[in-house]
Amino acid sequence: VQLQASGGGLVQAGGSLRLSCAASGYIFRLNDMGWYRQAPGKQRNLVASITSVGRSNYADSVKGRFTISRDNNKNTVYLQMNSLKPEDTAVYYCNVEAQTSLGSRATNYWGKGTLVTVSS
């Protein structure tokens, strides 16, 4: 399973960005999909996740500003980021839990990351 993320960039505080992450390869089923971020010198933390039936979960720091969604027909997860703050600056990584065949164990896969920089 390969993950291709896009949508990062430089934005001013208060602005918006939309991240996308498309999964491809031998995919039987995609379970949870999510976004993590890692700021310089800090550990990677969960930003938001969404189950296969659309239940979402957010880090407290992004609640009310970020929205995660998915398109199961396109094997794609999105992260709409509004009211961005300088502290949102980080490399954002998509993560999916996928089964590659019927009965196979679900495995976590990571994208390469996309940089989001929010200027003050």
Side-chain angles (χ1 to χ4, degrees):
V1 176
Q2 295 80 43
L3 301 178
Q4 182 65 50
S6 61
L10 174 64
V11 64
Q12 288 189 330
S16 298
L17 283 174
R18 188 191 193 210
L19 305 183
S20 301
C21 178
S24 62
Y26 292 100
I27 299 171
F28 174 73
R29 177 182 291 127
L30 288 176
N31 299 327
D32 289 2
M33 305 179 79
W35 290 94
Y36 288 71
R37 67 186 181 188
Q38 186 168 20
K42 297 189 176 181
Q43 66 181 16
R44 189 177 300 185
N45 292 317
L46 176 69
V47 176
S49 63
I50 186 167
T51 69
S52 59
V53 294
R55 290 182 179 174
S56 57
N57 177 54
Y58 296 92
D60 287 343
S61 60
V62 306
K63 283 181 180 176
R65 299 188 297 122
F66 291 10
T67 302
I68 190 169
S69 61
R70 63 190 284 170
D71 185 333
N72 291 329
N73 291 325
K74 296 181 179 180
N75 290 338
T76 299
V77 61
Y78 305 96
L79 186 68
Q80 178 66 44
M81 305 185 293
N82 298 328
S83 302
L84 282 160
K85 304 176 181 180
E87 51 263 43
D88 294 317
T89 295
V91 177
Y92 284 69
Y93 297 90
C94 63
N95 173 272
V96 303
E97 184 184 83
Q99 291 175 261
T100 56
S101 63
L102 178 64
S104 67
R105 189 180 70 173
T107 302
N108 268 294
Y109 297 89
W110 290 93
K112 288 188 177 180
T114 184
L115 177 62
V116 172
T117 304
V118 184
S119 63
S120 57

